[in-house]
Amino acid sequence: MGKTALLPLACAILAFWSVYLVKAEDAYKYFTWTVTYGTASPLGVPQQVILVNGQFPGPRLDLVTNDNVVLNLINKLDQPFLLTWNGIKQRKNSWQDGVLGTNCPVPPNSNYTYKFQTKDQIGSYTYFPSTLMHKAAGGFGALNVYARSVIPVPYAKPAGDFSLLIGDWYKTSHKALQQILDSGKALPFPSGILTNGLTQSSFSADQGKTYMFRVSNVGLSTSFNFRIQGHKMKLVEVEGSHVIQNIYDSLDVHVGQSMSVLVTLDQPPKDYYIVASTRFTKTVLTTTAVLHYTNSQTPVSGPVPAGPTYEIHWSIRQARTYRWNLTSNAARPNPQGSFHYGKITPSRTIVLVNSAPIINGKQRFAVNGISHTNADTPLKLADYFNIPGVFSLNSIESAPSGRSPYLSTSVLSTSLHEFIEVVFQNNENAMQSWHVDGYDFWVVGFGSGQWTQDSRKKYNLVDALTRHTTQVYPNSWTAILVSLDNQGMWNMRSAMWERQYLGQQFYLRVYNPVPSLANEYDIPSNVLLCGKAVGRHHP
Ligand SMILES: *[C@@H]1O[C@H](CO)[C@@H](O)[C@H](O)[C@H]1NC(C)=O
Ligand SMILES: *[C@@H]1O[C@H](CO)[C@@H](O)[C@H](O)[C@H]1NC(C)=O
């Protein structure tokens, strides 16, 4: 064989290897999840809960960066159902976000196969039901994205890895809670707090070793403070950001947020309290779990360590200590600090003011005067099939105009590759927690009172961390910067579930007039159609 004959062969081998390498890197992982009702007694009284594959909370979804997930969700409830993947960015793929603006809910006795990738992600996340008040009954779980073997993480591999799903809990069923909200009333104060669906969780670990605790707030409305008796916590990761590894005695975790800490079992062999107690509430609810040293013969003892309860400034000060480690990488090899977000001038500023108006005699929640109502057709499908009359662009203004609040399907238009500043202005006495689907964003500032242009002087434009959910303190503001590099229809919502359910949410349409598969994947071949999209032809 001459040189010329060898070349195609060499190319074929190379092509084979590159395909093989891509496949080897980006594994496919298949799951079948069946959602049913079950009975559990987390607070001592039997109540209906939502199970995933018979489990409450649902199974832990352990993934690796860039995994391709194929997850068939079978709904055996008596109501339409969807899961959303809290913090999974669904790159170019809002088709799989699992909220009512992007997906038709899976009807009872039916199924939908989600197909998504954990593209360039790492960290502790969660999934949970996005429909009705299902989240109040369970159906949630931990979603961990581990680093690929070729990408180093900025800490030694821990001896073990625990997921702690902590949240406020009601003894009332999700349907009864929904009825309260539908009748125009706000929810009562929760009945308690659970850790992994229990009030008596226990975690066994070896003395002298270091473990990772992945802590998420899966509750409906209440921030909590987390601490472990006699132990320090080293914060290493917050929603995909590798942070400066500060040591904390206790940490505030707000609704919808997740963080990972390392804990070294450096104390005498004994059992220790793991504590979560509510923040900013008149009545303080506390729950304990147990850190059990495997060589311990001694049960937990001593007072349950106290934490902050109403100290807002304590919480703000702590939040300001969460900073990007600029030299550390996240899911990709390049250091986080190589993206100089602080040097980019935002193309626009969006000011979002939350409120709790009474509309038509009923309690609602709104943002910029609009209380969102879900359309009968997912906005994403209306956009794709050009179905008129489902939503109008810019139905929410980018700053409040002062008109009296009303109900509407709320969509804010932006362009792909804009870089925007968003100010969450909270003029209520209540805590607020805002989540953005499809993105993480730099949390550049917290301040009290009214945000003004002058507030920008206090922004952290150097090493703010990125995350998917940020708290907004009462009568305060939080400012974020977002690089709109992910085309799609993205839900922005209050992570406080009654607020979300009663309208404190909208959709961010990140759009490019020239359709391109490089920017956004095509509609999935198994897409469910509903509302005005029924009968439309899809590929
Ligand atoms: C339902 O599950 C079947 C496999 O059991 C699958 O082939 C089908 O695509 C699923 N339906 C949807 C809408 O994803
Ligand atoms: C930042 O990350 C680098 C690289 O992983 C690591 O060596 C360093 O210890 C980290 N610094 C802090 C303060 O966490």
Side-chain angles (χ1 to χ4, degrees):
M1 259 196 281
K3 261 189 186 157
T4 42
L6 267 174
L7 195 61
L9 182 65
C11 287
I13 289 170
L14 271 178
F16 169 80
W17 272 105
S18 56
V19 166
Y20 176 80
L21 284 175
V22 165
K23 287 238 164 92
E25 281 290 298
D26 301 349
Y28 277 78
K29 296 204 175 146
Y30 296 86
F31 304 88
T32 302
W33 281 8
T34 305
V35 177
T36 57
Y37 284 124
T39 304
S41 310
L43 291 174
V45 281
Q47 66 182 114
Q48 187 184 60
V49 294
I50 291 176
L51 309 176
V52 180
N53 288 354
Q55 298 175 44
F56 167 75
R60 172 168 142 176
L61 193 54
D62 278 347
L63 303 170
V64 173
T65 302
N66 293 354
D67 271 354
N68 292 290
V69 177
V70 180
L71 188 147
N72 197 355
L73 179 73
I74 303 168
N75 176 17
K76 294 283 179 189
L77 304 183
D78 56 352
Q79 293 179 320
F81 184 82
L82 276 176
L83 285 177
T84 190
W85 317 93
N86 200 43
I88 298 304
K89 287 193 255 180
Q90 306 292 6
R91 198 141 177 81
K92 307 176 188 179
N93 202 11
S94 64
W95 303 110
Q96 307 291 347
D97 200 28
V99 290
L100 288 173
T102 61
N103 292 76
C104 298
V106 185
N109 293 311
S110 189
N111 73 292
Y112 174 68
T113 305
Y114 288 87
K115 292 173 190 152
F116 62 85
Q117 197 183 10
T118 53
K119 182 77 182 153
D120 292 339
Q121 291 199 258
I122 186 173
S124 306
Y125 303 97
T126 58
Y127 62 86
F128 55 75
S130 69
T131 34
L132 302 172
M133 287 300 287
H134 293 147
K135 195 183 183 210
F140 49 72
L143 194 170
N144 300 331
V145 187
Y146 293 88
R148 292 179 286 161
S149 56
V150 292
I151 304 285
V153 291
Y155 48 87
K157 190 176 159 52
D161 188 328
F162 301 114
S163 289
L164 284 77
L165 305 168
I166 303 177
D168 52 19
W169 189 259
Y170 289 86
K171 288 180 189 164
T172 322
S173 76
H174 74 89
K175 285 184 185 170
L177 292 175
Q178 187 195 331
Q179 241 167 30
I180 295 173
L181 297 174
D182 289 345
S183 75
K185 298 192 200 84
L187 290 187
F189 193 63
S191 326
I193 315 179
L194 304 182
T195 304
N196 294 349
L198 300 168
T199 52
Q200 307 279 332
S201 289
S202 181
F203 303 89
S204 286
D206 295 339
Q207 190 184 22
K209 293 184 181 166
T210 298
Y211 292 81
M212 178 172 272
F213 286 73
R214 300 169 180 267
V215 184
S216 295
N217 188 331
V218 294
L220 297 186
S221 60
T222 325
S223 303
F224 63 76
N225 177 269
F226 176 81
R227 51 202 183 269
I228 304 177
Q229 185 183 30
H231 291 76
K232 303 277 186 200
M233 300 183 283
K234 184 194 274 185
L235 185 68
V236 293
E237 181 262 336
V238 177
E239 293 161 22
S241 282
H242 284 145
V243 294
I244 297 290
Q245 297 181 2
N246 294 320
I247 307 291
Y248 297 87
D249 288 317
S250 77
L251 287 159
D252 281 354
V253 188
H254 306 279
V255 180
Q257 297 184 338
S258 297
M259 53 180 65
S260 311
V261 296
L262 295 178
V263 178
T264 301
L265 274 67
D266 54 4
Q267 295 299 305
K270 183 180 139 358
D271 290 1
Y272 295 87
Y273 286 115
I274 296 173
V275 193
S277 56
T278 58
R279 290 287 266 130
F280 324 117
T281 55
K282 277 203 194 88
T283 311
V284 177
L285 297 174
T286 300
T287 192
T288 57
V290 172
L291 172 59
H292 169 68
Y293 277 48
T294 48
N295 58 347
S296 153
Q297 309 288 332
T298 317
V300 282
S301 61
V304 171
T309 53
Y310 211 90
E311 296 87 335
I312 287 181
H313 280 99
W314 185 101
S315 189
I316 297 179
R317 274 200 306 275
Q318 179 175 78
R320 288 187 182 132
T321 66
Y322 303 165
R323 287 153 54 216
W324 248 6
N325 180 336
L326 297 175
T327 59
S328 158
N329 60 282
R332 288 194 287 185
N334 53 320
Q336 295 173 134
S338 55
F339 194 97
H340 298 281
Y341 71 93
K343 299 223 161 87
I344 306 170
T345 307
S347 57
R348 60 202 277 204
T349 299
I350 294 165
V351 180
L352 300 172
V353 180
N354 54 276
S355 60
I358 304 292
I359 302 178
N360 304 329
K362 291 182 167 180
Q363 177 69 63
R364 296 287 302 184
F365 294 95
V367 52
N368 287 4
I370 301 185
S371 186
H372 176 82
T373 52
N374 286 308
D376 62 350
T377 310
L379 313 181
K380 184 73 199 144
L381 297 185
D383 225 0
Y384 179 81
F385 291 118
N386 286 314
I387 303 170
V390 177
F391 70 92
S392 44
L393 292 173
N394 290 322
S395 31
I396 176 171
E397 288 163 306
S398 51
S401 65
R403 60 187 286 189
S404 53
Y406 59 100
L407 305 175
S408 179
T409 299
S410 191
V411 178
L412 187 79
S413 313
T414 59
S415 301
L416 184 64
H417 301 311
E418 268 192 85
F419 188 85
I420 62 170
E421 175 187 38
V422 178
V423 177
F424 299 109
Q425 178 70 52
N426 180 10
N427 298 332
E428 296 183 64
N429 264 321
M431 227 7 234
Q432 177 65 267
S433 184
W434 272 100
H435 171 86
V436 185
D437 277 354
Y439 288 95
D440 50 17
F441 47 76
W442 290 270
V443 185
V444 292
F446 299 95
S448 56
Q450 294 294 313
W451 177 88
T452 66
Q453 308 234 344
D454 243 20
S455 308
R456 289 186 182 128
K457 289 182 187 146
K458 290 184 243 156
Y459 283 5
N460 176 355
L461 294 177
V462 177
D463 60 359
L465 86 174
T466 57
R467 65 188 315 173
H468 58 67
T469 302
T470 185
Q471 70 274 29
V472 191
Y473 294 95
N475 300 302
S476 300
W477 54 266
T478 299
I480 66 169
L481 299 176
V482 201
S483 179
L484 297 179
D485 58 358
N486 194 10
Q487 186 167 318
M489 185 69 83
W490 301 110
N491 192 218
M492 277 183 78
R493 59 174 174 263
S494 174
M496 268 104 161
W497 218 244
E498 72 180 309
R499 286 177 171 263
Q500 180 274 155
Y501 181 74
L502 291 180
Q504 207 159 80
Q505 57 168 311
F506 63 94
Y507 284 83
L508 185 72
R509 182 179 183 256
V510 181
Y511 187 70
N512 188 352
V514 186
S516 160
L517 291 178
N519 292 333
E520 187 169 23
Y521 298 152
D522 205 357
I523 189 167
S525 56
N526 64 332
V527 67
L528 296 176
L529 298 177
C530 56
K532 296 187 177 73
V534 169
R536 294 286 172 143
H537 290 285
H538 55 83

